[in-house]
Amino acid sequence: MAKANTGFFDPEFMKFPDFTQFYADFNKSFAEYGKLFGNGKLPGFDVDAVLASQRKNIEALTAANQVALEGVQTIAKRQAEFARKAAEELSLVTKELTTAGTPEDKIARHVALAKDAFETAVANLRELSTIAQKANTEAIDLISKRVVENIEEVKSALAPKTAAKK
């Protein structure tokens, strides 16, 4: 009797697949892979060198993070100093502006104070951006140096062993 296929439901689809061949191929591949570790080590792979390289990577990242943290701390201290100084100046300016004088004198003084405040803010912003730029540059230099060292380590690890013996 011929198999009827309605196109909507295929009963063959519901059968459990035979994994016998899959398991045989897997066991064969695993046996080949296991031969690489006959003496417990992967040939041509120096675990100690990899660990030393990773240790150096972590040290470089730690140093870069330390530099960045010091930059953030310096910025925070300077901002606190700017805020303290601004509060002191505001107190003096308030007293100065409440003293008697003509309206023209007060307006001229307001304009001068606004100009001074703007110039101070710009100078403070420049100083903070310089501090941030310096910290970022130092951190990037540390990481860049480590990347170059890492590339050299990989190149020397991949160099033919016969060239190293000569």
Side-chain angles (χ1 to χ4, degrees), residues 75 126-140:
I75 289 172
R126 274 196 187 112
E127 181 180 344
L128 292 177
S129 66
T130 301
I131 292 169
Q133 183 179 8
K134 181 181 176 220
N136 287 340
T137 301
E138 288 178 19
I140 288 171

Side-chain angles (χ1 to χ4, degrees), residues 112-124:
L113 290 172
K115 179 183 175 235
D116 290 344
F118 178 76
E119 289 173 350
T120 300
V122 169
N124 292 345

